[in-house]
Amino acid sequence: MGETTFRVWRGERGKGDFADYRTEVGEGMVVLDAMHQIQAESAGDLAVRWNCKAGKCGSCSAEINGKPRLMCMTRMDELPAGEAVTVEPMRAFPHVRDLVTDVSWNFEVKKKVKPFKPRAPDAPDGTWRMQQEDVDRVQEFRKCIECFLCQDVCHVLRDHHKHDEFIGPRFFVHSAALEMHPLDVEDRVHELKETQGIGYCNITKCCTAVCPEHITITDNAIIPLKERVVDEFYDPVMKLVKLFRRKP
Amino acid sequence: MAEYERYEHDVLVIGAGGAGLRAAIAAAERGARVGLVCKSLLGKAHTVMAEGGVAAAMGHVDDRDNWQVHFADTMRGGQYVNNWRMAELHAKEAPDRVRELEAWGAVFDRTPDGRILQRNFGGHRYPRLAHVGDRTGLEMIRTLQDHAIHKGIDVHMEVTIVQLLKDGDRVCGALAYDRERGRFRLFAAGAVVLATGGIGRAFSVTSNSWEYTGDGHSLAYAAGAELMDMEFVQFHPTGMVWPPSVMGILVTEGVRGEGGVLRNSLGKRFMFDDIPDNYKNQTADNEEEGWRYTQGDKTARRSPELLTRDHVARCIQREVREGRGSPHGGVYLDIAWIKERIPKAEEHIKRKLPSMYHQFMQLANIDITKVPMEVGPTTHYVMGGIRVDGDSQMSTVPGLFAAGECAAGLHGANRLGGNSLSDLLVFGRRAGEHAADFAATKRGGAASSESAATEAIRVALAPFDRGASAGAESPYAIQHDLQKMMQELVGIVRVEEEMSRALTGIAALRERAKRVGVYGNREYNPGWHTAIDLEHLLSVAEAVTRAAIDRKESRGGHFRDDYPDKDPAAGAFNIVLRKGGGGEMQMERRPIPAMPQYLKDIIEAQKA
Ligand SMILES: Cc1cc2nc3c(=O)[nH]c(=O)nc-3n(C[C@H](O)[C@H](O)[C@H](O)COP(=O)(O)OP(=O)(O)OC[C@H]3O[C@@H](n4cnc5c(N)ncnc54)[C@H](O)[C@@H]3O)c2cc1C
Ligand code: SF4
Ligand code: SF4
Ligand code: FES
């Protein structure tokens, strides 16, 4: 494929600029390969977070040509040929260095979601019975690799910085996985409304669009949770959704 | 100004994969104050990549299964050089450990009667692997992670241990740096559990991530612990071979478990050509029977694609070497063919193997529901590791425990698929409990090793002093050269002469590593991190090579072209390595303790 220019964000703690690197792009290469090649050739200290290089761990999240994506799953041949490729860190989290951001906020948020609490076992040997069709829905949510790309793209966090009042789409997915778990008996609806800010979500579906695991975050996780909230409380957006849905 | 920050824990767990998380939970439940350290973020450890499943003889799909069969399968797979005590405990305890995951929120695929579903896998006599599609590792690590964060465990993410600290004979803590700032941390602890995973990065074609630089093996070795079975490295038969940038990425054995078949360029299912004698009774000798087996027919024998990994990998290597390979130097793995047998095959494949479908679509532009994949062997797992006591998981250094891939014993010469995830749960828990008990009797001590910490810091920072000055070596270049050499000279087929050259090569690389230089600052600097990892990689490479030279036979993952047969005499010992007083690597053939009669009887009974 020949040489390609990469415009890579370099800098520390928010300060920085793009630096241009040229490197040879071979068949089947992904953006993460290019970053590694640049490290080995000319920028040994280029900070990149990655782990599995197989789309399974959710470490290598970045913004490629402005879009939140996994570097290890973005093939060079799907980007416009002959044009420079920009690679930037996720913008919704504090910057550390180069392509690395501080995502620790997400780990703190997760602790605030009430953990799994199963009903009493169904069988005397302490086990449960669940049918496959009853767990299909939850298994979709449990595909999440915690890449936080959905958090990165959501305007409530990215533009409005509601990190203290809004847990973000990843943790709505997490809450949905718990709430819809056939065995779970905990109730998380009150917090979802009061402290976790589900009301801020106005169903733009940007999160769903970027999810590398193709989880239908908005339709399958957030809207059903909002419905549960509405059953107990009031949510202006949901009122509209309900009106809309009622039309033939 | 202190050169490091100081932390106190009763139990320090190094590694947050399945083994480390399970150990941390167990130690915390015993009332210990637990610190959990990992090189990457929480939930990203290698365990997340496991696909096929976790082996446990629950007998949900075939009620003939029980711990005795699982034990015998594990021993036979490991060619009887396993630590039989670990194989026994593992087979007995795995079912409870899997059920416990369900109680903590894991959602496994279900049987029609609503229990945990189990699938076939190579070397397991009955369907035994509990699974979630082909993302079982993700389910497991997330369940453990979400359970652990509510246990009051102190998690130190993106922190790398560079040295273990000792008080006399006993381990009393560890020194580390954090990636983000490059600052040092001293952890004082009553006991330390190593759960650092494997060594795949010592080779160039591997399914393993950057973390797999053998840190735990090397840290323990440097602290005086014994390593065992290092010659046994598992080359998984099916890694991706094309395009080049994805070479080595794993294609789960689950593809073959669901009916996928291996063919050479002539279209022949070559696995029928070479079925080892000790598996003949249990292996199908025709395609029809093999297919029925994958579809759950209990009267059918297993298809030969599901023979043990070492064997399948060598058969693939043979096809390629003899000119019957695919265009990119592999063979064909075909799951699409099942459309001849079942309706809606495309949907079935996508549901059973979603991440494989995804992986090939996205990385290779190949639709596996329509065309065959090209696959070839990839470095996957190390059976060898830190020698531990089978019950407590304590190494030969008091207070130092090891569990998971970095520990040796359970798998012998070859690991069966699915036996790693269960290993992590069974022995992670045991290590955590015993470490907590050990720590309860010991206190502090790290003060006595402060000078060791200061020296370790000096060594760790030395690459900066050399910077990018003339004569400084690039850490990336040394790492690359080592991987290439190990792949070529100590890979899937070994001969003495090549391995001797590898030893000379390792010594030369060690010299180069002394001149390694890095630039930039200490904050999130991958060049520096790579430089620090070099020592570990070199140590494990040397251990693998020395042990592989000494084992003059072929067994399990270790195949010698100059000694192609199994030697019964060599089946009576394990090779043990230890650091000598002068820093040299000492080696010893350690006799395997006699197996108790009741275990021997089980093995005999299962041979039928
Ligand atoms: C692609 C793939 C698929 C697999 N599929 C299966 C399967 O289906 N079934 C099965 O049973 N097995 C499977 N395996 C094997 C299995 O996944 C691994 O053997 C297992 O997950 C190892 O777990 P662990 O807990 O020992 O280590 P890991 O999960 O690798 O964790 C190691 C931890 O140690 C940390 N660490 C390492 N060095 C340091 C250091 N110096 N300082 C601090 N922390 C450190 C790392 O950051 C990480 O947190 C598969 C492996 C691969 C690669
Ligand atoms: S749908 Fe809701 S959560 Fe998703 S991006 Fe839009 S506002 Fe954010
Ligand atoms: S829901 Fe999707 S986008 Fe969000 S963290 Fe999970 S995998 Fe990533
Ligand atoms: S490196 Fe794991 S998802 Fe990209």
Side-chain angles (χ1 to χ4, degrees):
Chain A
M1 279 177 82
E3 276 211 342
T4 301
T5 301
F6 290 85
R7 312 202 63 206
V8 184
W9 188 263
R10 301 289 318 255
E12 275 161 40
R13 295 180 204 279
K15 292 194 277 297
D17 205 350
F18 285 107
D20 284 3
Y21 299 92
R22 286 184 70 75
T23 195
E24 189 70 26
V25 170
E27 185 172 352
M29 247 168 86
V30 294
V31 171
L32 184 60
D33 289 316
M35 295 303 106
H36 286 155
Q37 219 164 279
I38 290 167
Q39 276 178 342
E41 289 166 1
S42 55
D45 64 340
L46 172 64
V48 180
R49 184 184 275 134
W50 67 288
N51 209 328
C52 68
K53 200 178 171 289
K56 296 203 163 79
C57 73
S59 298
C60 64
S61 306
E63 299 186 6
I64 299 166
N65 288 347
K67 287 211 188 73
R69 306 186 67 164
L70 298 176
M71 284 188 273
C72 72
M73 293 304 272
T74 306
R75 279 169 63 112
M76 288 302 301
D77 57 13
E78 47 177 291
L79 301 174
E83 285 174 29
V85 177
T86 61
V87 190
E88 301 165 75
M90 286 194 285
R91 295 296 188 189
F93 304 110
H95 187 220
V96 174
R97 211 167 84 83
D98 303 341
L99 300 178
V100 176
T101 46
D102 176 0
V103 292
S104 58
W105 171 78
N106 292 286
F107 292 88
E108 292 309 313
V109 169
K110 190 183 235 182
K111 288 190 204 156
K112 293 183 197 147
V113 178
K114 286 187 190 153
F116 176 66
K117 186 167 143 194
R119 68 173 183 237
D122 302 334
D125 65 354
T127 59
W128 290 269
R129 299 289 176 272
M130 292 184 268
Q131 291 304 310
Q132 185 62 43
E133 61 261 31
D134 296 329
V135 299
D136 281 340
R137 189 162 61 157
V138 177
Q139 284 186 333
E140 179 193 4
F141 304 143
R142 294 183 68 89
K143 286 194 306 189
C144 170
I145 57 174
E146 302 203 326
C147 63
F148 308 128
L149 289 170
C150 55
Q151 308 284 73
D152 184 46
V153 81
C154 176
H155 66 101
V156 183
L157 296 169
R158 191 184 179 96
D159 301 327
H160 305 291
H161 309 290
K162 297 276 184 208
H163 292 73
D164 292 337
E165 304 161 59
F166 179 73
I167 60 176
R170 159 57 191 137
F171 296 103
F172 294 136
V173 170
H174 179 57
S175 301
L178 290 164
E179 284 286 302
M180 299 177 201
H181 193 304
L183 306 184
D184 184 79
V185 293
E186 188 60 88
D187 184 359
R188 300 170 187 81
V189 173
H190 179 77
E191 291 91 328
L192 279 167
K193 172 173 185 287
E194 294 302 328
T195 57
Q196 301 175 346
I198 196 164
Y200 282 118
C201 164
N202 56 349
I203 322 190
T204 60
K205 303 196 185 186
C206 309
C207 50
T208 307
V210 300
C211 177
E213 286 294 310
H214 307 292
I215 301 171
T216 30
I217 304 176
T218 326
D219 288 351
N220 287 358
I222 298 180
I223 292 180
L225 286 181
K226 276 175 170 280
E227 278 168 344
R228 291 185 186 205
V229 171
V230 172
D231 286 345
E232 281 184 41
F233 309 96
Y234 170 80
D235 176 333
V237 179
M238 265 326 277
K239 196 165 172 222
L240 288 173
V241 171
K242 286 207 156 173
L243 275 174
F244 180 74
R245 281 195 173 171
R246 231 177 277 132
K247 285 180 195 161
Chain B
M1 193 190 83
E3 285 176 284
Y4 46 76
E5 264 182 279
R6 196 185 159 93
Y7 296 82
E8 303 259 352
H9 300 290
D10 296 327
V11 175
L12 179 70
V13 179
I14 304 173
L21 281 164
R22 191 62 191 80
I25 291 168
E29 284 177 347
R30 275 279 217 267
R33 293 171 307 156
V34 180
L36 178 62
V37 188
C38 47
K39 289 212 268 192
S40 38
L41 298 170
L42 196 58
K44 312 294 184 195
H46 220 76
T47 299
V48 82
M49 295 172 76
E51 295 164 353
V54 42
M58 299 187 289
H60 288 177
V61 172
D62 192 322
D63 59 16
R64 288 172 297 180
D65 203 12
N66 55 43
W67 80 262
Q68 286 94 337
V69 189
H70 193 184
F71 166 78
D73 286 351
T74 302
M75 292 298 295
R76 179 174 44 186
Q79 313 250 345
Y80 304 105
V81 293
N82 324 47
N83 176 329
W84 43 259
R85 176 63 179 157
M86 285 172 76
E88 178 190 6
L89 289 170
H90 168 255
K92 281 182 176 162
E93 294 177 8
D96 279 348
R97 296 288 80 76
V98 171
R99 290 188 201 109
E100 186 173 72
L101 289 181
E102 182 153 284
W104 295 349
V107 185
F108 290 101
D109 288 353
R110 316 307 297 178
T111 61
D113 67 350
R115 297 188 293 170
I116 295 172
L117 182 60
Q118 301 184 271
R119 69 157 51 119
N120 282 314
F121 236 57
H124 292 283
R125 184 154 191 174
Y126 301 118
R128 190 177 285 148
L129 270 67
H131 60 276
V132 186
D134 51 7
R135 55 162 190 84
T136 314
L138 170 65
E139 186 68 17
M140 199 166 113
I141 200 166
R142 199 67 80 232
T143 303
L144 291 169
Q145 170 190 351
D146 292 354
H147 192 71
I149 58 175
H150 298 286
K151 293 273 166 201
I153 295 163
D154 288 326
V155 181
H156 305 266
M157 295 198 287
E158 298 198 313
V159 169
T160 304
I161 303 289
V162 293
Q163 190 172 312
L164 298 176
L165 301 173
K166 286 171 76 178
D167 178 16
D169 280 349
R170 181 171 71 86
V171 159
C172 64
L175 184 80
Y177 69 86
D178 74 277
R179 295 180 101 70
E180 185 175 333
R181 298 275 185 175
R183 291 179 189 157
F184 290 94
R185 298 186 188 183
L186 187 147
F187 296 100
V192 173
V193 179
L194 287 168
T196 52
I199 66 160
R201 283 276 145 182
F203 296 83
S204 50
V205 179
T206 176
S207 63
N208 296 171
S209 78
W210 66 264
E211 294 198 309
Y212 267 30
T213 45
D215 299 15
H217 294 73
S218 150
L219 292 167
Y221 169 77
E226 290 178 348
L227 302 181
M228 185 174 89
D229 292 343
M230 291 301 288
E231 68 276 28
F232 297 124
V233 175
Q234 179 168 81
F235 298 91
H236 193 288
T238 57
M240 290 176 82
V241 295
W242 191 259
S245 84
V246 299
M247 177 119 84
I249 294 185
L250 192 76
V251 181
T252 175
E253 194 166 317
V255 176
R256 285 168 281 146
E258 297 295 341
V261 299
L262 290 167
R263 289 209 178 86
N264 62 21
S265 59
L266 309 173
K268 182 161 199 262
R269 277 182 70 179
F270 55 88
M271 288 307 301
F272 280 107
D273 297 350
D274 179 7
I275 299 171
D277 287 341
N278 59 337
Y279 281 98
K280 277 227 160 82
N281 288 340
Q282 295 173 19
T283 308
D285 53 15
N286 64 83
E287 300 194 8
E288 186 56 40
E289 185 179 3
W291 165 251
R292 284 193 286 116
Y293 174 83
T294 61
Q295 299 312 297
D297 180 341
K298 292 181 188 174
T299 63
R301 291 170 302 173
R302 146 188 4 185
S303 58
E305 272 87 1
L306 290 170
L307 285 162
T308 53
R309 290 178 174 174
D310 54 318
H311 181 73
V312 180
R314 274 194 302 279
C315 289
I316 293 176
Q317 174 116 345
R318 179 195 66 214
E319 293 303 305
V320 175
R321 204 178 43 223
E322 294 177 4
R324 295 184 295 273
S326 65
H328 299 108
V331 295
Y332 295 107
L333 171 59
D334 189 0
I335 182 77
W337 83 279
I338 67 170
K339 59 179 174 279
E340 297 166 17
R341 299 288 184 137
I342 56 174
K344 295 199 190 153
E346 290 194 14
E347 274 165 49
H348 179 79
I349 295 168
K350 284 185 202 169
R351 192 165 55 78
K352 284 291 181 181
L353 302 161
S355 33
M356 280 306 106
Y357 172 73
H358 222 70
Q359 183 173 311
F360 274 88
M361 231 18 202
Q362 217 157 340
L363 295 176
N365 280 338
I366 282 178
D367 182 346
I368 66 169
T369 67
K370 299 205 165 67
V371 292
M373 305 157 240
E374 272 187 75
V375 296
T378 180
T379 316
H380 186 55
Y381 185 88
V382 61
M383 276 68 76
I386 301 156
R387 197 169 83 84
V388 292
D389 172 71
D391 286 84
S392 71
Q393 298 294 106
M394 189 155 91
S395 73
T396 45
V397 173
L400 181 63
F401 297 75
E405 191 168 343
C406 71
L410 172 60
H411 310 292
N414 178 47
R415 172 181 72 94
L416 299 184
N419 266 1
S420 170
L421 292 185
S422 43
D423 172 10
L424 312 182
L425 296 171
V426 169
F427 295 105
R429 168 171 165 275
R430 284 184 162 266
E433 288 182 352
H434 284 91
D437 293 350
F438 185 94
T441 66
K442 304 280 186 305
R443 273 274 159 257
S448 62
S449 52
E450 275 172 12
S451 61
T454 309
E455 173 59 13
I457 291 174
R458 195 192 60 76
V459 172
L461 292 176
F464 281 110
D465 302 335
R466 288 184 288 267
S469 61
E473 291 272 358
S474 150
Y476 298 107
I478 300 176
Q479 190 192 58
H480 175 263
D481 293 352
L482 176 68
Q483 291 167 337
K484 194 159 165 281
M485 187 184 75
M486 290 299 288
Q487 185 78 30
E488 281 169 11
L489 303 181
V490 200
I492 186 164
V493 175
R494 300 164 170 174
V495 290
E496 181 116 12
E497 185 271 328
E498 291 183 350
M499 292 191 286
S500 303
R501 269 197 284 146
L503 273 188
T504 316
I506 291 167
L509 287 167
R510 229 179 240 294
E511 286 307 309
R512 283 175 60 191
K514 287 183 187 155
R515 297 193 300 274
V516 73
V518 301
Y519 50 91
N521 64 27
R522 274 155 68 175
E523 301 194 3
Y524 224 109
N525 185 337
W528 181 40
H529 305 156
T530 305
I532 289 178
D533 292 345
L534 280 178
E535 169 58 30
H536 304 315
L537 273 180
L538 287 163
S539 293
V540 293
E542 183 179 344
V544 169
T545 310
R546 285 196 189 280
I549 291 175
D550 193 50
R551 186 168 283 281
K552 298 191 191 323
E553 63 154 354
S554 293
R555 182 181 295 270
H558 173 66
F559 185 79
R560 294 275 304 247
D561 222 13
D562 42 359
Y563 299 95
D565 298 319
K566 204 156 37 180
D567 173 7
F573 62 81
N574 297 112
I575 295 172
V576 171
L577 300 149
R578 188 189 324 100
K579 189 167 185 162
E584 79 289 0
M585 198 172 269
Q586 295 178 342
M587 190 160 52
E588 188 190 319
R589 294 177 175 184
R590 188 78 54 85
I592 298 173
M595 197 187 296
Q597 193 57 43
Y598 70 98
L599 293 179
K600 281 188 189 153
D601 292 344
I602 293 172
I603 288 174
E604 278 314 309
Q606 293 300 328
K607 270 187 182 154

